[in-house]
Amino acid sequence: KRTRLASSPRAPPAPRAMASVAPEPLDRRAGCCDGVASARAEASAMAVFSVEVYAVEDNCTKTIDNLTASTTLAALVEIVKWELAFEAGSEMYLTLGTQVLGPNDMSKTLEALGASQGAIFACNCLERTTFAVYVVDMIGREYMVDGLEDGMSFAILVSRVEREMAVVGDVKVELVAGTRHFEAHE
């Protein structure tokens, strides 16, 4: 049970005393430029810039804005995938000039890669090779399961075969190739 208390007018809070700190004077003697150089480097890393990404397959260019020198290649790849509407799970790679950027470059910053305002990246899709498997049931009906890729698990194949065969209930699919019987855990 809650009881609501009648509110009484409150006095505004008293202003807090603010300590004021005077900026330190710029020392013009030896070593004074170290701080200025690091401040400029920090400001440069915070500077926002844009790059162009040329989608080779689509023959179009997209400007990617709001990048900084500290943006990683992995972040840029995700932005490019979003901006160019790549399908989920599709793979692509970027090139910068003659440099093909791969998995080992993903943690590098744009600055480390030499990219700055106006840099032009090329975006290329990695083509996936797909194949089909033909399955024949015990009474001779043939089913084709296509769109399979290297590296897919056996469980995915069994699931796709069951879907293709419209298996319902307690029916169990077992796959055999030649004399080899495949187990479900394979």
Side-chain angles (χ1 to χ4, degrees):
K1 186 175 179 181
R2 289 188 171 179
T3 307
R4 186 174 182 155
L5 300 175
S7 60
S8 61
R10 287 180 136 179
R16 293 185 179 168
M18 299 284 289
S20 102
V21 178
E24 294 182 20
L26 183 60
D27 188 358
R28 305 236 182 255
R29 293 175 289 199
C32 71
C33 294
D34 295 342
V36 172
S38 67
R40 283 187 179 150
E42 187 175 315
S44 158
M46 302 286 287
V48 176
F49 62 90
S50 61
V51 299
E52 300 292 321
V53 176
Y54 173 69
V56 175
E57 242 181 49
D58 298 330
N59 192 26
C60 69
T61 302
K62 177 75 177 171
T63 301
I64 307 295
D65 296 315
N66 299 321
L67 301 173
T68 65
S70 60
T71 302
T72 62
L73 179 62
L76 177 61
V77 165
E78 290 306 311
I79 293 168
V80 168
K81 283 182 176 180
W82 172 261
E83 291 290 334
L84 297 178
F86 275 76
E87 292 180 21
S90 61
E91 295 183 40
M92 50 83 76
Y93 67 94
L94 295 175
T95 57
L96 178 61
T98 59
Q99 182 181 9
V100 177
L101 305 171
N104 294 337
D105 299 312
M106 289 300 170
S107 62
K108 293 180 182 175
T109 64
L110 295 181
E111 180 180 47
L113 295 169
S116 58
Q117 175 63 39
I120 300 173
F121 288 86
C123 172
N124 298 281
C125 295
L126 291 176
E127 292 186 27
R128 290 188 170 178
T129 305
T130 61
F131 59 93
V133 170
Y134 291 89
V135 177
V136 180
D137 67 10
M138 297 298 282
I139 58 174
R141 292 179 296 200
E142 190 173 286
Y143 301 90
M144 181 182 81
V145 180
D146 62 350
L148 300 171
E149 298 177 8
D150 286 336
M152 281 186 152
S153 70
F154 185 72
I156 292 173
L157 173 61
V158 170
S159 172
R160 299 273 306 274
V161 167
E162 288 173 340
R163 190 171 359 145
E164 193 66 35
M165 295 175 76
V167 172
V168 291
D170 293 336
V171 177
K172 181 179 173 187
V173 170
E174 293 183 3
L175 297 179
V176 177
T179 59
R180 181 166 180 206
H181 178 264
F182 292 94
E183 299 295 328
H185 67 275
E186 291 187 70

